[in-house]
Amino acid sequence: AEVLNDRGEVDRAKLARKVFASSEQVRLLESIVHPEVCRRISAAIEAERVDSTSFPRDPESSGREAPPRACRGAGGTAARHGTSSSRHGAPRRIGTVVVIDAPLLFEAGLDEACDRIVYVDAPDEVRVHRAMKSRNWDRKELKRRESHQKSLSCKRNRADIVIANDSSTDALRKQVERLWDQLTSLISQ
């Protein structure tokens, strides 16, 4: 009740003040949210499947098929019709490009569902300015939230592709369109 608004809905600002006050609270919230997010993403990927019979079996899921691997990035999934080998070497059938836009991709374990991880990199001052403009956060609030995530350098180093987001929206759009063309060309081969 202490994080609800007058309509009985979650007040995200109140929740954030409570949760980001301690690492334990962040972990508790993540233990509630991450499984549901992963379930929904898996369901969306499953809905995109072309032929589920050729996916490898997941040994830990009592014979159920493993979900297709995704591309990651400021989130994304690259896949194509036909058989290929995943980043982890297992052959599989893939259907289409799926994008997972998840700020906590690594923390939630969603990177394991990905063929490619795309990291969108922006300089500190640009991130602060955008957080102030779009979310009304100051530098301290942005840093407080980022402190509960994997470091930016860790995310950058684990990415397969890094897109520089330090210029105009138009320049970013052009980079993303080039990447999209590359990823979609994989599924047409």
Side-chain angles (χ1 to χ4, degrees), residues 100 128 136 143 150 160 180:
I100 302 172
V128 169
N136 203 27
K143 296 303 179 187
K150 297 269 186 210
D160 300 297
W180 184 256

Side-chain angles (χ1 to χ4, degrees), residues 80-129:
R80 64 185 158 115
H81 297 285
T83 302
S84 74
S85 57
S86 75
R87 157 187 192 132
H88 303 288
R92 70 193 188 290
R93 184 123 174 123
I94 26 187
T96 190
V97 174
V98 177
V99 175
I100 302 172
D101 185 1
L104 300 175
L105 186 82
F106 298 111
E107 292 85 347
L110 290 168
D111 59 310
E112 291 301 316
C114 300
D115 288 325
R116 304 282 186 284
I117 295 179
V118 178
Y119 175 73
V120 180
D121 195 15
D124 187 61
E125 288 307 314
V126 172
R127 290 191 343 280
V128 169
H129 174 76

Side-chain angles (χ1 to χ4, degrees), residues 166-182:
D166 57 358
S167 184
S168 68
T169 303
D170 208 38
L172 176 63
R173 182 177 291 111
K174 287 176 184 173
Q175 289 183 79
V176 171
E177 286 171 352
R178 277 193 303 274
L179 175 59
W180 184 256
D181 290 344
Q182 291 171 357

Side-chain angles (χ1 to χ4, degrees), residues 42-60:
S42 292
I45 291 172
E46 184 70 26
E48 292 297 324
R49 264 194 188 178
V50 173
D51 177 4
S52 65
T53 61
S54 61
F55 282 89
R57 300 284 175 186
D58 180 354
E60 296 181 9

